[in-house]
Protein backbone atom coordinates (compact mmCIF):
# COMPACT_ATOMS: atom_id res chain seq x y z
CA UNK A 1 0.00 0.00 0.00
CA UNK A 2 2.78 2.43 0.82
CA UNK A 3 4.49 1.73 -2.50
CA UNK A 4 1.25 2.50 -4.35
CA UNK A 5 0.95 5.81 -2.49
CA UNK A 6 4.53 6.72 -3.41
CA UNK A 7 3.82 5.93 -7.06
CA UNK A 8 0.64 8.05 -6.94
CA UNK A 9 2.49 11.00 -5.38
CA UNK A 10 5.28 10.75 -7.94
CA UNK A 11 2.69 10.84 -10.72
CA UNK A 12 0.88 13.81 -9.14
CA UNK A 13 4.05 15.83 -8.48
CA UNK A 14 6.24 15.10 -11.49
CA UNK A 15 7.59 18.63 -11.88
CA UNK A 16 8.32 21.65 -9.72
CA UNK A 17 5.42 23.41 -11.47
CA UNK A 18 3.10 20.61 -10.27
CA UNK A 19 4.28 21.15 -6.70
CA UNK A 20 3.85 24.90 -7.05
CA UNK A 21 0.29 24.56 -8.37
CA UNK A 22 -0.59 22.38 -5.38
CA UNK A 23 0.65 24.92 -2.82
CA UNK A 24 -0.66 27.95 -4.74
CA UNK A 25 -4.10 26.36 -4.78
CA UNK A 26 -4.18 26.13 -0.98
CA UNK A 27 -3.14 29.58 0.27
CA UNK A 28 -5.51 29.69 3.24
CA UNK A 29 -2.75 28.26 5.46
CA UNK A 30 0.38 30.36 6.05
CA UNK A 31 2.69 27.38 5.59
CA UNK A 32 1.42 26.96 2.05
CA UNK A 33 1.86 30.69 1.34
CA UNK A 34 5.51 30.22 2.28
CA UNK A 35 5.85 27.12 0.12
CA UNK A 36 4.06 28.76 -2.81
CA UNK A 37 6.32 31.82 -2.54
CA UNK A 38 9.44 29.66 -2.68
CA UNK A 39 8.19 27.48 -5.53
CA UNK A 40 6.97 30.55 -7.46
CA UNK A 41 10.50 31.92 -7.36
CA UNK A 42 11.97 28.59 -8.40
CA UNK A 43 9.71 28.29 -11.46
CA UNK A 44 10.39 31.90 -12.45
CA UNK A 45 7.08 33.52 -11.46
CA UNK A 46 8.87 36.34 -9.70
CA UNK A 47 5.86 38.66 -9.55
CA UNK A 48 3.90 36.04 -7.61
CA UNK A 49 6.91 35.26 -5.41
CA UNK A 50 7.19 38.96 -4.53
CA UNK A 51 3.45 39.17 -3.77
CA UNK A 52 3.58 36.09 -1.53
CA UNK A 53 6.76 37.25 0.23
CA UNK A 54 4.92 40.49 1.04
CA UNK A 55 1.96 38.51 2.34
CA UNK A 56 4.25 36.54 4.65
CA UNK A 57 5.78 39.80 5.90
CA UNK A 58 2.32 40.93 7.03
CA UNK A 59 1.56 37.78 9.06
CA UNK A 60 1.14 38.18 12.82
CA UNK A 61 3.73 35.90 14.48
CA UNK A 62 1.55 35.64 17.58
CA UNK A 63 -1.25 34.08 15.52
CA UNK A 64 0.74 32.08 12.99
CA UNK A 65 2.92 29.81 15.04
CA UNK A 66 6.43 29.26 16.20
CA UNK A 67 8.13 29.34 12.80
CA UNK A 68 6.47 32.52 11.54
CA UNK A 69 9.29 34.91 12.46
CA UNK A 70 11.85 32.53 10.99
CA UNK A 71 9.87 32.29 7.74
CA UNK A 72 9.44 36.06 7.64
CA UNK A 73 13.19 36.59 7.99
CA UNK A 74 13.96 33.99 5.34
CA UNK A 75 11.44 35.43 2.88
CA UNK A 76 12.71 38.97 3.48
CA UNK A 77 16.23 37.77 2.68
CA UNK A 78 15.05 35.98 -0.47
CA UNK A 79 13.05 39.02 -1.62
CA UNK A 80 16.12 41.21 -1.01
CA UNK A 81 18.20 38.86 -3.18
CA UNK A 82 15.69 39.20 -6.00
CA UNK A 83 15.75 43.00 -5.65
CA UNK A 84 19.58 43.13 -5.48
CA UNK A 85 19.82 41.10 -8.65
CA UNK A 86 17.31 43.38 -10.35
CA UNK A 87 14.81 40.57 -10.86
CA UNK A 88 12.00 42.38 -9.02
CA UNK A 89 11.52 46.00 -7.99
CA UNK A 90 11.69 47.21 -4.37
Amino acid sequence: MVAAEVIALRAKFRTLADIHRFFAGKLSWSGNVYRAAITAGLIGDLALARQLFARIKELDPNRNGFFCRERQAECAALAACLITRGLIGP
Side-chain angles (χ1 to χ4, degrees):
M1 277 179 72
V2 173
E5 182 66 20
V6 169
I7 291 169
L9 288 172
R10 285 182 180 164
K12 184 176 182 179
F13 300 113
R14 291 181 28 184
T15 67
L16 186 55
D18 294 336
I19 295 167
H20 171 69
R21 276 190 294 278
F22 175 80
F23 291 130
K26 301 177 185 303
L27 294 178
S28 61
W29 182 59
S30 65
N32 284 348
V33 175
Y34 168 78
R35 290 173 182 92
I38 300 298
T39 57
L42 291 172
I43 66 169
D45 190 344
L46 301 180
L48 180 59
R50 179 181 183 193
Q51 176 187 8
L52 295 173
F53 287 148
R55 187 168 163 182
I56 291 166
K57 181 180 178 179
E58 299 302 319
L59 292 174
D60 179 357
N62 296 318
R63 295 186 63 219
N64 289 284
F66 178 76
F67 294 108
C68 185
R69 289 185 202 281
E70 185 177 302
R71 286 184 181 141
Q72 286 174 318
E74 182 179 334
C75 288
L78 290 169
C81 286
L82 294 175
I83 292 167
T84 300
R85 288 170 174 74
L87 298 173
I88 62 174

